[in-house]
Amino acid sequence: MDTPYQQAILAGLSRKSSREIYQGTVPAHVKAQRRAANKVARRSRQQNRGR
């Protein structure tokens, strides 16, 4: 049997959307900057691997 604490953790995790990572904690313009930087970094890593 799960404790109330375990049930609360599971309930919180099950409500998270797999698409929305930041869960409303970061402004939209910051998310856009981070995603743009990540896109550049991914492309750079691909080139460094010779793809």
Side-chain angles (χ1 to χ4, degrees), residues 15-36:
R15 280 191 215 110
K16 280 191 163 191
S17 166
S18 61
R19 177 77 175 125
E20 183 56 46
I21 301 300
Y22 296 105
Q23 294 290 309
T25 59
V26 177
H29 72 278
V30 174
K31 287 192 281 187
Q33 288 173 344
R34 290 178 184 178
R35 288 178 176 152

Side-chain angles (χ1 to χ4, degrees), residues 32-45:
Q33 288 173 344
R34 290 178 184 178
R35 288 178 176 152
N38 286 336
K39 185 176 184 178
V40 170
R42 280 193 307 273
R43 191 164 290 198
S44 176
R45 286 192 300 271

Side-chain angles (χ1 to χ4, degrees), residues 1-13:
M1 180 135 208
D2 292 337
T3 66
Y5 178 73
Q6 290 172 327
Q7 291 174 353
I9 295 294
L10 288 174
L13 290 173

